[in-house]
Amino acid sequence: MGEGFKNWFATTSPVLKIFLFVVPLILVSGFASLLVRKGSNWALIYTLPTSSSSNTNLYAVKKPSLQAKERNSPVYLQSQEEVSMDGGSRKEALSNTAAIINSVSPPIVAQSSQDQPLNGKNEDIPNMSISENFNSTTSNMKENELTNPPLKPRRRRIGTNLDRLEEGLRKARIAIREAMNGSQLQDPDYIPDGPIYKNAKAFHRSYLEMEKQFKIFVYREGEIPLFHDGPCMLLYTMEGQFINKMEDNKKFRTHNPEKAHVFYLPYSVTRIVQYIWVKGTPMKRLGGVVLDYVNVIAEKHPYWNRSLGADHFMLSCHDWGPATSFFVPDLVKHSIRALCNANTSERFNPMKDVSIPEISLKSSRLEGLIGGPSPSQRTILAFFAGGNHGFVRAILFEHWEKKDPDIRVHNYLPRGVSYYDLMRQSKYCLCPSGYEVASPRIVEALYNGCVPVLISKSYVPPFSDVLNWKTFAVIVSLEEIPNLKKILMAIPDRQYIRMQKRVVQVRRHFELHVTPKRFDVFHMILHSIWLRRLNVRVSNGRREVLD
């Protein structure tokens, strides 16, 4: 059979040989053409750059069989955005992209890009899949330019923990605004009401929102005694009490920083002064401790640099608390500083910082410190006893020390005379600034049912964001000190009685308990910090102060 074929092939004419080769070739080509016609008219290649170029090209190669209508359709996209996402999210996004585009065109072969911020900017926005970019780009095209418009995919938002925290704060802001003119909320313990509040309903809703979601992370760095501890008695009681109560708190403290709205720097300025400062040495040594501590936090954790400290806070009742913070520029400029020494002339910013009450206690118990007789049993018009230091007290002593039996101003009291008994016999208790603007006499007056008379300059009273101090206290300027008696005598008895009742109502917000109670001073400090956090929107590398 083989020899016969060879002989036949050798004797066949060249024309016939060519015919025998060409015919099968034509048949195979025709069959292949039919298979291609049943397939796609497009061959697409989707590539992402591996360089720093910001453009992503989607190339389409057209086949000659396309109609003119199809040739006028958009056949390639240039993306102006690159999406930053992790490997798993990118893989899933590419899968979703293929599924969406397959509904109107053939599959896309994609190569992953390097992670880059959107538009090359360091903006904190939720991660988006490539399918969202595809959909948002094509949605801007005219309808008559799209032959087969893509199906609109379900919006897919990849949120971070910070995104979820900010969303919760956004909802809280809306709820507080709506509560301003809404109905009064119910509460099993206490319902804020009356003129002592700037807006009782808004405050109550804000407080409830704080209880529902506010979380605080306490940095673990630092050791006792400078960190995680503080004095719990006498003039700087509030500093140590807050540190200890925050360390043990189970409701507001979180051990997961990803769930925290704010971050607490638990250092005690009082302890730093006590253990490090040497008389005659410059303040720089104390400020260096705070600066070093913040640097350790910033290097070890990402949260300080993320917001430049805008969601961080410190707390101090020592007079030098503000001064030590000046050594950390971002701490003064961005962070929340909870200070007893709330002096606007020393860069205290009421929009960002928190004024807290100065409380001086000899023990951790309030028994015997709260109470007092009714207004009708108070026979002394005004009372003050204390050291003659600071420029405000110098004016007070000049005009009123031993000048009038109705205005009892003492440079300390004689032995055997009870300070608290005199407060309880007085209608008004004078609270002049000393070396610094804050004074523990404000809280002492409230505890004893005595209407406080604030005499200071550049002082922001505690919790002024919520409380209307003019309804339960008398505020006197330095220039009015010579007319002090005239001012107090001009207040009608009925108005004084109303003010005294408001003092009794408001003092719950200044009471310091061994175990914190709702609406007490510990929670009011937290609420003031909560309000400052509501006023700021934080994203990675950016902070925005809300109007």
Side-chain angles (χ1 to χ4, degrees), residues 27 51 53 77 99-100 111 117 130 181 185 190 215 238 242-243 274 309 311 346 359 364 393 398 402 407 434 497 530:
L27 293 175
S51 65
S53 172
L77 300 176
I100 293 172
Q111 297 176 353
I130 295 177
N181 298 315
L185 298 174
Y190 175 69
K215 294 298 178 184
M238 201 62 251
F242 184 87
I243 291 176
Q274 179 181 353
D311 52 357
E346 296 180 1
I359 301 176
S364 59
R393 293 187 187 181
E398 177 187 352
K402 300 179 181 179
I407 307 290
I497 292 173
W530 158 255

Side-chain angles (χ1 to χ4, degrees), residues 185 197 330 487:
L185 298 174
Y197 302 104
D330 284 335
I487 292 172

Side-chain angles (χ1 to χ4, degrees), residues 42-47 56-61 75-78:
W42 296 88
L44 300 179
I45 302 176
Y46 184 53
T47 60
T56 300
N57 298 322
L58 177 60
Y59 299 97
V61 182
V75 296
Y76 71 92
L77 300 176
Q78 266 194 336

